[in-house]
Each structure stands twice: as structure tokens, then as C-alpha cells.
Amino acid sequence: MPTRIIDLAVAIEDGLPSDPEKMIPHIDYTDHATGAAQMTEYFPGLQPEQLPAGLGWAVESIQLTTHSGTHLDAPYHYHPTMDKGAPALTIDQIPLEWCFQDGVLLDFSHKADGEAISAQDVATELERIDYTLKPLDIVLVRTGADAFWGRPEYLIKGAGMTRESTLYLLERGIKVVGIDAWSWDRPLPFLARQFQAEGDPSIIWEAHFAGIEQGYCHMEKMANLHHIPRPHTFKVACFPIKIKNASAAWARPVAIVAE
């Protein structure tokens, strides 16, 4: 059966202001001419003009965090423990079978920036698309925030999940989820304003901290969820780069759709 692969990742780009300043990636590009000069260091006696067109390799050096670009967060990102006391898994310990499963797309792009996605919202959307979750489904949440990727306002765009809506998914055997916004939670500035007004610490990072009760992974900064043609009957692959003892790693998630 013919299939189509839909790219669900953003590109890591130099200097994009879609992260807090300390997290913005920086890329140094070594072009082919500079690469030719570098190659002479490895091959004594070599002259650059002896190489094809006088050019050598191209190489990049990148400064970034494990949470730059589209990435998969491990339970260790949220807390040292998960599943009510077990050691939290780091990204290199995530079972790979979690990362290749049937996908489910929940569309909350109609919600306002900073609005909460409740457990009832999730249940209503599942009823609308006529789907019953099964263990290990990969649930993708569309907010529409990815339309602002590359701009500073991306940081405050999109609705976000809550503790109760996250646990609603986890209690049904879900292990990997994803969102097209900067955070699985509501945008941090909205949470900060609510905390200042109410003084209630339980709202801080509440969807992330749900992983203390039940371990799970989530992808953030996804893209192109609106290109997935159906809300289910597609596969998701989202294998993370293997970084020892890390809280997250970069991923290139894709939706695999049967035509």
C-alpha cells in the first residue's frame, strides 16, 4: 500500500528567537573553502588546489540545549522519580517501542492562547473523531502555535495541557504525546501571571509534573500537524537521539499515512 511521510519537526536554525535567550541555538558554518584548508592539516603536503575545484568538506558546530528544536522529553526532565517513586527514565532508557505506534490527532486549534485543555475537552474531542484510545497510542495535540515558529510571539502561542488532561491520557496507557507549541503545559507567561494573581503553586508546570505520578514522554515544538489528513489510522515514528543520562533529545518525528 502506498504511504506518505509527513515531517512533524521544525528545523534547528541559527539565532531564531522562538526560545528564551539562553536557549537560542547558535550554528557556526564551515564552508567548503575553509574545509579545504582544514584538510591540509590531516594530509601533510596537500595543497587545496589539489582537491576537486579546490574545495573540501563542510562542517557545522552547534551550541544548543537538549530541548532546542523539536525534541522528546524523558520523565527525568520532570522529576528524579516517576510512577510514584521509581527512578525516572532518562532519554537513553526510553523503550523504543514507545516511539513507533499508531497516532491520534486531537485538534484544539480553536482554543485561545494560554487556554487550558481539560480532561473533558480531550474526552469530547475523542468522541468527535469517534476514537477510543488504546495503550501506547501516540497522541498529538494541535494548537496552531507552529504558525508562529521563528518569531518571539511563538513563546506565548497556543493552548496547553493540564495535570488532569495529561493523567486522562496516561491512565489509558499512553506513553508518548506531542504538541505543536513551545510547551506541553500552557505557555509559561500565562502560568506566571496566574501564580502571581492566585499564589497557587499547583498550577506551575502541572502537566509536566503529572509524570511524577505516571511516567511518560512528550514532544514539544512539533509542526505540520494540520497536514495529517485523518485524526487516526496513521503511524507516528519519533525516535530520540541517544544521549547518556539526558532529560531530552532531539527527534525527527514523522506521520506515516497510508494513501
Side-chain angles (χ1 to χ4, degrees):
M1 180 180 296
T3 58
R4 179 160 59 103
I5 296 178
I6 301 172
D7 188 357
L8 304 181
V10 298
I12 294 175
E13 298 183 51
D14 180 56
L16 276 190
S18 289
D19 283 304
E21 186 174 353
K22 292 182 180 179
M23 292 179 64
I24 294 175
H26 296 285
I27 307 175
D28 291 323
Y29 291 89
T30 298
D31 63 18
H32 297 89
T34 304
Q38 291 179 346
M39 290 180 76
T40 64
E41 300 173 15
Y42 291 87
F43 298 92
L46 174 69
Q47 298 301 312
E49 57 268 22
Q50 294 176 285
L51 297 171
L55 301 175
W57 52 50
V59 182
E60 296 73 46
S61 176
I62 305 179
Q63 177 184 330
L64 75 173
T65 76
T66 52
H67 299 264
S68 297
T70 307
H71 62 278
L72 184 71
D73 284 340
Y76 184 75
H77 178 48
Y78 325 135
H79 201 69
T81 63
M82 67 180 211
D83 296 343
K84 301 178 181 179
L89 296 177
T90 53
I91 199 66
D92 52 312
Q93 297 171 326
I94 298 303
L96 294 183
E97 56 267 26
W98 288 10
C99 303
F100 182 59
Q101 294 291 338
D102 290 336
V104 183
L105 178 63
L106 306 181
D107 191 348
F108 298 108
S109 59
H110 59 280
K111 280 186 168 284
D113 297 333
E115 191 175 349
I117 299 169
S118 69
Q120 184 58 56
D121 290 331
V122 173
T124 299
E125 177 66 359
L126 286 167
E127 183 177 1
R128 185 187 73 82
I129 66 173
D130 192 24
Y131 189 79
T132 300
L133 293 173
K134 64 182 183 301
L136 296 185
D137 279 345
I138 295 178
V139 177
L140 307 179
V141 172
R142 183 185 173 216
T143 72
D146 63 321
F148 298 88
W149 173 254
R151 292 184 263 171
E153 57 265 39
Y154 176 74
L155 291 166
I156 56 170
K157 290 296 180 181
M161 297 291 282
T162 65
R163 179 179 185 276
E164 61 157 357
S165 58
T166 302
L167 289 174
Y168 180 94
L169 297 174
L170 306 186
E171 288 163 359
R172 286 154 178 79
I174 304 304
K175 291 296 185 182
V176 174
V177 296
I179 196 166
D180 59 0
W182 190 83
S183 176
W184 179 247
D185 274 86
R186 290 180 289 151
L188 294 184
F190 288 92
L191 294 177
R193 283 198 291 272
Q194 184 177 346
F195 175 67
Q196 288 296 314
E198 301 174 3
D200 179 8
S202 69
I203 59 106
I204 295 175
W205 231 36
E206 59 175 314
H208 282 70
F209 284 148
I212 300 172
E213 188 164 336
Q214 288 189 246
Y216 80 105
C217 297
H218 61 233
M219 289 176 280
E220 295 169 325
K221 305 179 192 173
M222 301 187 76
N224 299 323
L225 298 184
H226 60 289
H227 287 311
I228 299 175
R230 299 180 295 277
H232 46 83
T233 67
F234 64 94
K235 290 279 189 182
V236 174
C238 56
F239 299 107
I241 297 297
K242 193 173 184 178
I243 306 174
K244 186 71 174 177
N245 297 331
S247 64
W250 316 287
R252 182 76 178 271
V254 298
I256 304 169
V257 180
E259 297 280 43

